[in-house]
Amino acid sequence: MKETVMIQTHSRVEMIDITAKIQEVIDRSGVRDGICVVFVPHTTAAVTINENADPDVRNDIMAHLGEMIPPRRSFLHVEGNSDSHIKVSLTGSSGTVMVDEGRLDLGTWQSIFFCEFDGPRNRRCTVKVIGEKDVPHS
Ligand code: ZN
């Protein structure tokens, strides 16, 4: 099964924890043992897995990406958002997590983050869950 998860972003750059929304898709799928793929079908938004405990990790990631790849007028791309496109290529458009006993098998401090690089916008990601469902006991 594949599901689309809608995400409303609120600023130009932002990391949003979407772990709970992805877990809900797994719950609906009924898969107990398998893999979950999260794909972001946008060219200026991405997905990454990183620390959820200290929000300053998120802030540092976004601030440092912004320092490494500042918006510049010298980019060739006429939309003027080449910094956003470059950040997506560095961050990645998909993530894969194992599903174990029906749960995302993330580390204690890990979450799945939707990365907005050219917001605010209405965004989406697609989630595919593949695996074995509960076998009824006979
Ligand atoms: Zn563009």
Side-chain angles (χ1 to χ4, degrees):
M1 64 166 275
K2 183 181 100 172
E3 265 196 44
T4 299
V5 173
M6 305 307 292
I7 298 147
Q8 172 69 55
T9 64
H10 303 95
S11 54
R12 182 158 195 267
V13 296
E14 187 178 11
M15 283 174 75
I16 299 173
D17 190 337
I18 57 169
T19 310
K21 287 185 173 189
I22 305 305
Q23 181 62 52
E24 286 170 14
V25 176
I26 294 169
D27 294 346
R28 282 191 289 274
S29 78
V31 168
R32 301 285 298 162
D33 182 22
I35 60 168
C36 174
V37 178
V38 180
F39 178 74
V40 175
H42 300 289
T43 61
T44 56
V47 67
T48 194
I49 297 171
N50 217 303
E51 174 165 331
N52 57 23
D54 182 358
D56 276 340
V57 172
R58 262 168 275 173
N59 296 335
D60 284 345
I61 289 170
M62 286 314 219
H64 198 76
L65 280 173
E67 287 168 19
M68 286 196 304
I69 311 147
R72 291 201 320 243
R73 291 211 173 87
S74 57
F75 286 130
L76 299 175
H77 177 49
V78 294
E79 281 185 321
N81 60 353
S82 282
D83 60 315
S84 315
H85 292 294
I86 293 166
K87 288 172 184 172
V88 167
S89 279
L90 289 177
T91 311
S93 296
S94 69
T96 307
V97 182
M98 260 67 80
V99 177
D100 185 35
E101 296 186 353
R103 306 288 306 170
L104 283 166
D105 198 15
L106 291 163
T108 305
W109 308 114
Q110 285 182 317
S111 277
I112 304 167
F113 290 96
F114 183 90
C115 302
E116 175 62 84
F117 293 125
D118 195 21
R121 298 194 200 201
N122 288 309
R123 298 291 205 172
R124 64 195 163 95
C125 65
T126 52
V127 183
K128 180 94 177 171
V129 188
I130 303 167
E132 295 172 21
K133 298 184 182 187
D134 262 343
V135 179
H137 297 285
S138 54

